[in-house]
Amino acid sequence: MKEKLLSLKEAAKNAIIAAKDEHEIDELRVKYLGKKGELTALLKQMGSLSPEERPVMGQLVNEAKQHIEELITSKATEMKNKATELKLKAETLDITLPAKTQSAGKIHPLNTVLNDMLDIFQSMGFDVLDGPEVETDYYCFECLNVPADHPARDMQDTFYLSKDILLRTQTSAAQARVMQNNKPPIRIVCPGRVFRADEVDATHSPVFHQIEGLVVDKGITMCDLKGVLEQFAREIYGKDTAVKFRPSFFPFTEPSVEVDVTCSECGGKGCRVCKGTGWIEILGAGMVHPNVLRSCGIDPEVYQGFAFGIGLDRITTTRYKISDIRLLFENDKRFLEQF
Ligand code: PHE
Protein backbone atom coordinates (compact mmCIF):
# COMPACT_ATOMS: atom_id res chain seq x y z
CA MET A 1 0.00 0.00 0.00
CA LYS A 2 2.84 2.28 0.84
CA GLU A 3 4.36 1.67 -2.57
CA LYS A 4 1.05 2.34 -4.23
CA LEU A 5 0.85 5.61 -2.39
CA LEU A 6 4.37 6.60 -3.42
CA SER A 7 3.77 5.87 -7.08
CA LEU A 8 0.44 7.69 -6.96
CA LYS A 9 2.21 10.71 -5.47
CA GLU A 10 4.87 10.57 -8.15
CA ALA A 11 2.30 10.21 -10.96
CA ALA A 12 0.27 13.11 -9.61
CA LYS A 13 3.35 15.29 -9.37
CA ASN A 14 4.37 14.60 -12.99
CA ALA A 15 0.86 15.13 -14.26
CA ILE A 16 0.58 18.44 -12.45
CA ILE A 17 3.89 19.64 -13.80
CA ALA A 18 2.87 18.63 -17.30
CA ALA A 19 -0.57 20.26 -17.10
CA LYS A 20 -1.01 22.87 -19.79
CA ASP A 21 -4.04 24.85 -18.69
CA GLU A 22 -6.40 25.50 -15.81
CA HIS A 23 -8.89 23.04 -17.21
CA GLU A 24 -6.34 20.19 -16.99
CA ILE A 25 -5.48 21.20 -13.42
CA ASP A 26 -9.15 20.98 -12.49
CA GLU A 27 -9.35 17.54 -13.98
CA LEU A 28 -6.29 16.43 -11.99
CA ARG A 29 -7.81 17.83 -8.81
CA VAL A 30 -10.86 15.60 -9.35
CA LYS A 31 -8.76 12.62 -10.42
CA TYR A 32 -6.58 12.59 -7.30
CA LEU A 33 -8.44 14.42 -4.56
CA GLY A 34 -12.10 14.07 -5.53
CA LYS A 35 -14.63 11.93 -3.72
CA LYS A 36 -14.17 9.22 -6.30
CA GLY A 37 -10.49 10.04 -6.71
CA GLU A 38 -7.51 7.74 -6.42
CA LEU A 39 -6.43 8.94 -3.00
CA THR A 40 -9.89 8.40 -1.55
CA ALA A 41 -9.91 4.93 -3.05
CA LEU A 42 -6.65 4.21 -1.26
CA LEU A 43 -8.07 5.50 2.04
CA LYS A 44 -10.96 3.10 1.66
CA GLN A 45 -8.51 0.19 1.62
CA MET A 46 -7.22 1.15 5.09
CA GLY A 47 -9.78 -1.20 6.69
CA SER A 48 -7.69 -4.17 5.60
CA LEU A 49 -4.65 -2.95 7.56
CA SER A 50 -3.67 -4.02 11.04
CA PRO A 51 -4.49 -1.58 13.90
CA GLU A 52 -0.79 -0.69 14.27
CA GLU A 53 -0.29 0.03 10.60
CA ARG A 54 -3.46 2.13 10.26
CA PRO A 55 -2.33 5.38 11.92
CA VAL A 56 1.05 5.27 10.17
CA MET A 57 -0.56 4.76 6.83
CA GLY A 58 -3.23 7.35 7.64
CA GLN A 59 -0.59 9.95 8.27
CA LEU A 60 1.21 9.09 5.05
CA VAL A 61 -1.98 9.41 3.03
CA ASN A 62 -2.77 12.76 4.64
CA GLU A 63 0.72 14.01 3.90
CA ALA A 64 0.40 12.89 0.30
CA LYS A 65 -2.97 14.60 0.04
CA GLN A 66 -1.56 17.83 1.41
CA HIS A 67 1.43 17.62 -0.90
CA ILE A 68 -0.76 17.13 -3.98
CA GLU A 69 -3.05 19.98 -2.90
CA GLU A 70 -0.10 22.30 -2.54
CA LEU A 71 1.25 21.33 -5.93
CA ILE A 72 -2.11 21.95 -7.56
CA THR A 73 -2.60 25.31 -5.87
CA SER A 74 0.83 26.62 -6.78
CA LYS A 75 0.48 25.39 -10.38
CA ALA A 76 -2.93 27.05 -10.62
CA THR A 77 -1.58 30.36 -9.30
CA GLU A 78 1.37 30.18 -11.65
CA MET A 79 -1.00 29.67 -14.59
CA LYS A 80 -3.23 32.50 -13.54
CA ASN A 81 -0.28 34.88 -13.29
CA LYS A 82 0.96 33.81 -16.69
CA ALA A 83 -2.46 34.43 -18.19
CA THR A 84 -2.67 37.89 -16.63
CA GLU A 85 0.78 38.72 -17.90
CA LEU A 86 -0.14 37.67 -21.44
CA LYS A 87 -3.35 39.66 -21.28
CA LEU A 88 -1.53 42.77 -20.10
CA LYS A 89 1.02 42.40 -22.85
CA ALA A 90 -1.72 42.11 -25.45
CA GLU A 91 -3.47 45.19 -24.13
CA THR A 92 -0.41 47.42 -24.00
CA LEU A 93 -0.96 50.85 -25.54
CA ASP A 94 1.64 52.05 -27.97
CA ILE A 95 1.77 55.68 -26.94
CA THR A 96 4.29 56.46 -29.67
CA LEU A 97 1.63 55.94 -32.39
CA PRO A 98 0.70 59.24 -34.04
CA ALA A 99 -2.74 60.47 -32.93
CA LYS A 100 -5.71 60.50 -35.29
CA THR A 101 -6.27 64.16 -36.09
CA GLN A 102 -9.79 65.52 -35.88
CA SER A 103 -10.55 68.06 -38.55
CA ALA A 104 -12.47 70.94 -37.05
CA GLY A 105 -15.35 72.50 -38.96
CA LYS A 106 -15.09 75.97 -40.44
CA ILE A 107 -17.52 78.80 -40.84
CA HIS A 108 -19.00 78.79 -44.34
CA PRO A 109 -17.96 81.90 -46.33
CA LEU A 110 -21.63 82.85 -46.70
CA ASN A 111 -21.98 82.88 -42.93
CA THR A 112 -18.77 84.84 -42.44
CA VAL A 113 -20.02 87.55 -44.79
CA LEU A 114 -23.52 87.43 -43.32
CA ASN A 115 -22.15 87.88 -39.80
CA ASP A 116 -20.05 90.84 -40.95
CA MET A 117 -23.09 92.41 -42.61
CA LEU A 118 -25.30 91.89 -39.56
CA ASP A 119 -22.58 93.45 -37.38
CA ILE A 120 -22.58 96.54 -39.60
CA PHE A 121 -26.36 96.93 -39.51
CA GLN A 122 -26.61 96.18 -35.80
CA SER A 123 -24.01 98.87 -35.13
CA MET A 124 -26.39 101.26 -36.94
CA GLY A 125 -29.24 100.23 -34.63
CA PHE A 126 -31.04 97.62 -36.76
CA ASP A 127 -32.65 94.58 -35.14
CA VAL A 128 -32.26 91.18 -36.81
CA LEU A 129 -35.45 89.25 -37.59
CA ASP A 130 -36.39 85.97 -39.22
CA GLY A 131 -39.15 85.36 -41.74
CA PRO A 132 -40.73 82.16 -43.07
CA GLU A 133 -39.33 80.56 -46.25
CA VAL A 134 -42.70 79.07 -47.08
CA GLU A 135 -44.92 82.09 -47.65
CA THR A 136 -48.35 83.05 -48.81
CA ASP A 137 -48.93 84.73 -52.15
CA TYR A 138 -50.34 87.60 -50.10
CA TYR A 139 -47.13 88.45 -48.21
CA CYS A 140 -44.75 87.70 -51.06
CA PHE A 141 -46.67 89.66 -53.73
CA GLU A 142 -50.12 91.02 -53.08
CA CYS A 143 -49.50 93.32 -50.14
CA LEU A 144 -46.21 94.39 -51.75
CA ASN A 145 -48.15 96.07 -54.53
CA VAL A 146 -47.10 93.41 -57.05
CA PRO A 147 -49.99 93.26 -59.52
CA ALA A 148 -51.58 89.95 -60.48
CA ASP A 149 -50.14 90.12 -63.98
CA HIS A 150 -46.58 90.83 -62.82
CA PRO A 151 -44.11 88.37 -64.42
CA ALA A 152 -42.71 87.38 -60.99
CA ARG A 153 -46.03 85.67 -60.34
CA ASP A 154 -45.49 83.37 -63.29
CA MET A 155 -44.96 79.69 -62.47
CA GLN A 156 -41.71 79.95 -64.41
CA ASP A 157 -40.23 82.27 -61.80
CA THR A 158 -41.87 81.16 -58.57
CA PHE A 159 -42.04 77.74 -56.92
CA TYR A 160 -45.70 77.37 -55.98
CA LEU A 161 -46.59 74.73 -53.38
CA SER A 162 -50.31 75.32 -53.95
CA LYS A 163 -52.40 78.11 -55.45
CA ASP A 164 -51.66 80.49 -52.56
CA ILE A 165 -48.59 78.98 -50.90
CA LEU A 166 -45.12 79.40 -52.37
CA LEU A 167 -41.41 79.48 -51.57
CA ARG A 168 -40.61 83.16 -51.06
CA THR A 169 -38.85 84.71 -54.05
CA GLN A 170 -37.59 87.65 -51.99
CA THR A 171 -37.00 88.47 -48.33
CA SER A 172 -39.23 91.51 -48.95
CA ALA A 173 -42.01 89.06 -48.01
CA ALA A 174 -41.02 89.69 -44.38
CA GLN A 175 -41.68 93.45 -44.65
CA ALA A 176 -45.46 93.40 -44.28
CA ARG A 177 -45.38 90.97 -41.36
CA VAL A 178 -43.02 93.32 -39.53
CA MET A 179 -45.11 96.41 -40.27
CA GLN A 180 -48.34 94.67 -39.24
CA ASN A 181 -46.89 93.43 -35.97
CA ASN A 182 -44.83 96.47 -34.89
CA LYS A 183 -45.45 100.15 -34.52
CA PRO A 184 -42.94 102.64 -36.02
CA PRO A 185 -40.16 103.42 -35.46
CA ILE A 186 -39.13 100.21 -37.23
CA ARG A 187 -35.52 99.42 -38.04
CA ILE A 188 -34.88 95.77 -38.96
CA VAL A 189 -32.84 93.52 -41.21
CA CYS A 190 -34.08 90.07 -42.18
CA PRO A 191 -31.58 87.66 -43.72
CA GLY A 192 -32.59 84.38 -45.32
CA ARG A 193 -32.90 82.02 -48.23
CA VAL A 194 -35.01 82.84 -51.25
CA PHE A 195 -36.10 80.64 -54.14
CA ARG A 196 -36.57 81.23 -57.85
CA ALA A 197 -37.08 78.76 -60.68
CA ASP A 198 -33.84 79.79 -62.37
CA GLU A 199 -31.62 77.65 -64.56
CA VAL A 200 -28.40 76.87 -62.70
CA ASP A 201 -25.25 78.51 -64.06
CA ALA A 202 -22.16 80.32 -62.77
CA THR A 203 -24.21 83.31 -61.56
CA HIS A 204 -27.68 81.80 -60.96
CA SER A 205 -28.95 79.30 -58.43
CA PRO A 206 -32.57 78.34 -57.62
CA VAL A 207 -31.72 78.98 -53.96
CA PHE A 208 -29.83 82.08 -52.94
CA HIS A 209 -29.68 84.54 -50.07
CA GLN A 210 -30.87 88.05 -49.42
CA ILE A 211 -30.79 90.47 -46.54
CA GLU A 212 -33.84 92.65 -46.37
CA GLY A 213 -33.69 96.00 -44.62
CA LEU A 214 -36.66 98.08 -43.55
CA VAL A 215 -36.87 101.43 -41.80
CA VAL A 216 -40.16 103.18 -41.06
CA ASP A 217 -40.38 106.39 -39.04
CA LYS A 218 -41.49 110.00 -39.27
CA GLY A 219 -39.44 112.16 -41.63
CA ILE A 220 -37.46 109.38 -43.36
CA THR A 221 -36.07 110.50 -46.73
CA MET A 222 -34.02 109.14 -49.60
CA CYS A 223 -30.98 110.75 -47.94
CA ASP A 224 -31.29 108.34 -45.02
CA LEU A 225 -31.39 105.43 -47.45
CA LYS A 226 -28.30 106.68 -49.28
CA GLY A 227 -26.41 107.31 -46.07
CA VAL A 228 -27.09 103.85 -44.66
CA LEU A 229 -26.21 102.03 -47.90
CA GLU A 230 -23.06 104.06 -48.56
CA GLN A 231 -21.87 103.40 -45.03
CA PHE A 232 -22.62 99.72 -45.47
CA ALA A 233 -20.76 99.46 -48.82
CA ARG A 234 -17.66 101.17 -47.44
CA GLU A 235 -17.52 98.94 -44.38
CA ILE A 236 -17.89 95.78 -46.46
CA TYR A 237 -15.65 96.69 -49.42
CA GLY A 238 -13.29 99.30 -47.98
CA LYS A 239 -13.51 103.08 -47.52
CA ASP A 240 -12.41 103.95 -51.07
CA THR A 241 -15.39 102.13 -52.55
CA ALA A 242 -17.60 104.33 -54.73
CA VAL A 243 -21.36 103.78 -54.61
CA LYS A 244 -23.70 104.51 -57.53
CA PHE A 245 -27.49 104.83 -57.30
CA ARG A 246 -29.31 104.04 -60.56
CA PRO A 247 -33.02 104.69 -61.04
CA SER A 248 -34.92 101.41 -61.21
CA PHE A 249 -38.35 99.95 -60.62
CA PHE A 250 -39.86 97.75 -57.92
CA PRO A 251 -43.62 97.65 -57.37
CA PHE A 252 -43.21 98.10 -53.60
CA THR A 253 -40.88 101.10 -53.61
CA GLU A 254 -41.21 104.55 -55.15
CA PRO A 255 -38.77 105.90 -56.13
CA SER A 256 -36.69 102.75 -56.62
CA VAL A 257 -32.96 102.37 -57.16
CA GLU A 258 -30.40 99.73 -57.87
CA VAL A 259 -27.05 100.20 -56.21
CA ASP A 260 -23.64 99.45 -57.73
CA VAL A 261 -20.25 99.51 -56.04
CA THR A 262 -16.75 99.78 -57.51
CA CYS A 263 -15.74 96.38 -58.87
CA SER A 264 -13.61 94.79 -56.16
CA GLU A 265 -11.72 92.72 -58.75
CA CYS A 266 -10.37 95.56 -60.95
CA GLY A 267 -10.96 98.59 -58.74
CA GLY A 268 -13.22 100.14 -61.40
CA LYS A 269 -11.00 99.77 -64.47
CA GLY A 270 -13.23 97.16 -66.05
CA CYS A 271 -12.66 93.39 -66.09
CA ARG A 272 -14.24 90.00 -66.69
CA VAL A 273 -16.10 90.08 -63.34
CA CYS A 274 -17.81 93.45 -63.93
CA LYS A 275 -18.14 92.74 -67.65
CA GLY A 276 -15.95 95.74 -68.40
CA THR A 277 -18.21 98.26 -66.65
CA GLY A 278 -16.11 98.80 -63.50
CA TRP A 279 -19.28 98.40 -61.37
CA ILE A 280 -20.99 95.52 -59.59
CA GLU A 281 -24.68 95.58 -58.71
CA ILE A 282 -25.25 94.47 -55.12
CA LEU A 283 -28.76 95.49 -54.14
CA GLY A 284 -32.18 96.91 -54.91
CA ALA A 285 -33.80 99.55 -52.72
CA GLY A 286 -36.23 102.44 -52.54
CA MET A 287 -38.74 104.40 -50.50
CA VAL A 288 -41.57 102.16 -49.28
CA HIS A 289 -44.56 102.64 -51.59
CA PRO A 290 -47.53 104.39 -49.89
CA ASN A 291 -49.78 101.50 -50.97
CA VAL A 292 -47.58 99.06 -49.02
CA LEU A 293 -47.62 101.23 -45.89
CA ARG A 294 -51.38 101.58 -46.19
CA SER A 295 -51.96 97.83 -46.64
CA CYS A 296 -50.09 97.30 -43.36
CA GLY A 297 -52.14 99.87 -41.46
CA ILE A 298 -49.50 102.62 -41.46
CA ASP A 299 -50.56 106.12 -42.53
CA PRO A 300 -48.22 107.25 -45.37
CA GLU A 301 -49.12 110.87 -44.61
CA VAL A 302 -47.46 110.50 -41.18
CA TYR A 303 -44.77 107.87 -41.71
CA GLN A 304 -42.24 107.23 -44.47
CA GLY A 305 -39.85 104.35 -44.91
CA PHE A 306 -37.10 102.87 -47.01
CA ALA A 307 -36.31 99.26 -47.83
CA PHE A 308 -33.45 97.42 -49.43
CA GLY A 309 -32.66 93.86 -50.46
CA ILE A 310 -28.99 92.89 -50.64
CA GLY A 311 -27.73 89.81 -52.49
CA LEU A 312 -25.56 87.97 -49.98
CA ASP A 313 -24.17 85.51 -52.55
CA ARG A 314 -23.01 88.37 -54.78
CA ILE A 315 -21.24 90.08 -51.90
CA THR A 316 -19.57 86.79 -50.95
CA THR A 317 -18.39 85.86 -54.46
CA THR A 318 -16.99 89.33 -55.10
CA ARG A 319 -15.29 89.59 -51.72
CA TYR A 320 -13.53 86.22 -52.06
CA LYS A 321 -13.15 86.36 -55.88
CA ILE A 322 -15.19 83.17 -56.29
CA SER A 323 -15.90 82.73 -59.99
CA ASP A 324 -18.88 80.35 -59.75
CA ILE A 325 -21.83 80.70 -57.37
CA ARG A 326 -22.37 76.93 -57.45
CA LEU A 327 -19.25 76.47 -55.30
CA LEU A 328 -21.14 78.09 -52.43
CA PHE A 329 -23.77 75.34 -52.45
CA GLU A 330 -21.81 72.19 -53.27
CA ASN A 331 -20.17 71.93 -49.84
CA ASP A 332 -16.98 70.49 -51.28
CA LYS A 333 -14.57 70.34 -48.35
CA ARG A 334 -11.59 71.16 -50.60
CA PHE A 335 -13.29 74.45 -51.44
CA LEU A 336 -14.57 75.26 -47.95
CA GLU A 337 -11.22 74.56 -46.28
CA GLN A 338 -9.71 77.54 -48.10
CA PHE A 339 -11.62 80.04 -45.96
N1 PHE B 1 -36.92 92.34 -53.29
C1 PHE B 1 -36.15 92.95 -54.33
C2 PHE B 1 -35.51 91.86 -55.19
O1 PHE B 1 -35.53 90.72 -54.80
C3 PHE B 1 -35.09 93.85 -53.77
C4 PHE B 1 -35.66 95.04 -53.05
C5 PHE B 1 -35.88 94.97 -51.69
C6 PHE B 1 -35.97 96.20 -53.72
C7 PHE B 1 -36.41 96.07 -51.02
C8 PHE B 1 -36.48 97.29 -53.07
C9 PHE B 1 -36.70 97.22 -51.72
O2 PHE B 1 -34.99 92.13 -56.24
Side-chain angles (χ1 to χ4, degrees):
M1 203 173 161
K2 201 171 163 185
E3 269 164 29
K4 257 194 188 167
L5 184 64
L6 281 175
S7 74
L8 189 148
K9 220 169 119 179
E10 191 60 28
K13 189 177 148 191
N14 291 335
I16 292 168
I17 289 171
K20 282 190 285 294
D21 55 34
E22 290 182 71
H23 178 66
E24 265 182 49
I25 289 282
D26 277 342
E27 276 178 353
L28 290 174
R29 195 195 305 272
V30 174
K31 183 174 180 207
Y32 290 104
L33 307 173
K35 261 191 200 151
K36 290 178 181 161
E38 293 184 20
L39 215 57
T40 319
L42 214 59
L43 270 171
K44 279 181 186 156
Q45 290 173 21
M46 298 258 289
S48 62
L49 295 177
S50 68
E52 300 86 49
E53 282 175 319
R54 243 181 258 160
V56 183
M57 222 22 232
Q59 204 186 343
L60 283 177
V61 172
N62 275 336
E63 273 172 18
K65 195 179 167 193
Q66 218 176 350
H67 184 63
I68 295 173
E69 262 170 10
E70 275 167 14
L71 283 178
I72 286 181
T73 316
S74 80
K75 181 77 178 186
T77 325
E78 185 189 311
M79 279 181 165
K80 222 180 225 150
N81 289 345
K82 223 183 210 159
T84 315
E85 212 173 281
L86 282 176
K87 200 168 162 219
L88 284 178
K89 225 179 214 163
E91 287 176 357
T92 309
L93 284 178
D94 182 356
I95 56 167
T96 63
L97 272 178
K100 281 186 191 147
T101 50
Q102 293 247 346
S103 55
K106 293 205 168 170
I107 297 178
H108 194 283
L110 280 174
N111 278 329
T112 305
V113 175
L114 173 62
N115 289 338
D116 288 353
M117 289 169 69
L118 295 182
D119 276 351
I120 295 169
F121 286 115
Q122 280 174 307
S123 76
M124 292 192 231
F126 285 75
D127 285 331
V128 181
L129 288 186
D130 235 356
E133 292 175 353
V134 176
E135 259 298 2
T136 57
D137 178 272
Y138 172 78
Y139 281 115
C140 197
F141 296 131
E142 199 178 317
C143 72
L144 290 176
N145 204 31
V146 179
D149 58 357
H150 193 281
R153 290 201 173 195
D154 193 337
M155 299 276 281
Q156 306 230 308
D157 293 299
T158 302
F159 291 111
Y160 282 91
L161 303 182
S162 69
K163 190 171 159 283
D164 294 319
I165 311 285
L166 45 80
L167 297 180
R168 66 177 174 194
T169 58
Q170 49 184 357
T171 45
S172 300
Q175 279 189 29
R177 292 177 180 278
V178 177
M179 286 191 272
Q180 286 172 355
N181 295 323
N182 298 277
K183 288 208 158 13
I186 291 169
R187 214 180 317 172
I188 60 103
V189 282
C190 170
R193 282 191 290 190
V194 298
F195 308 84
R196 288 182 200 176
D198 273 335
E199 288 287 334
V200 181
D201 65 25
T203 52
H204 293 87
S205 161
V207 185
F208 57 104
H209 303 80
Q210 289 185 332
I211 297 177
E212 192 77 8
L214 175 70
V215 171
V216 181
D217 204 350
K218 286 179 181 159
I220 296 289
T221 71
M222 193 89 184
C223 279
D224 299 306
L225 170 65
K226 284 186 77 175
V228 165
L229 292 179
E230 272 174 5
Q231 177 70 12
F232 161 76
R234 292 195 179 120
E235 288 204 38
I236 275 284
Y237 285 111
K239 61 179 179 355
D240 295 330
T241 306
V243 182
K244 182 164 77 172
F245 289 75
R246 276 184 291 112
S248 185
F249 174 79
F250 298 102
F252 36 91
T253 46
E254 179 60 35
S256 302
V257 290
E258 280 176 309
V259 177
D260 301 341
V261 294
T262 322
C263 175
S264 53
E265 179 77 28
C266 62
K269 288 191 221 52
C271 69
R272 191 180 48 88
V273 174
C274 58
K275 299 195 178 90
T277 62
W279 297 98
I280 290 179
E281 183 196 322
I282 58 164
L283 63 90
M287 301 305 291
V288 181
H289 197 291
N291 286 352
V292 176
L293 291 173
R294 226 175 272 124
S295 74
C296 297
I298 294 176
D299 184 354
E301 299 297 327
V302 182
Y303 292 103
Q304 297 75 42
F306 66 77
F308 54 85
I310 309 176
L312 173 60
D313 313 85
R314 236 319 165 66
I315 308 258
T316 307
T317 52
T318 51
R319 181 202 264 196
Y320 292 117
K321 306 195 194 312
I322 298 166
S323 56
D324 193 322
I325 192 177
R326 285 170 287 199
L327 290 165
L328 293 176
F329 301 99
E330 282 167 355
N331 285 333
D332 186 329
K333 266 180 80 183
R334 291 166 303 179
F335 169 75
L336 294 176
E337 272 165 358
Q338 298 174 41
F339 299 91

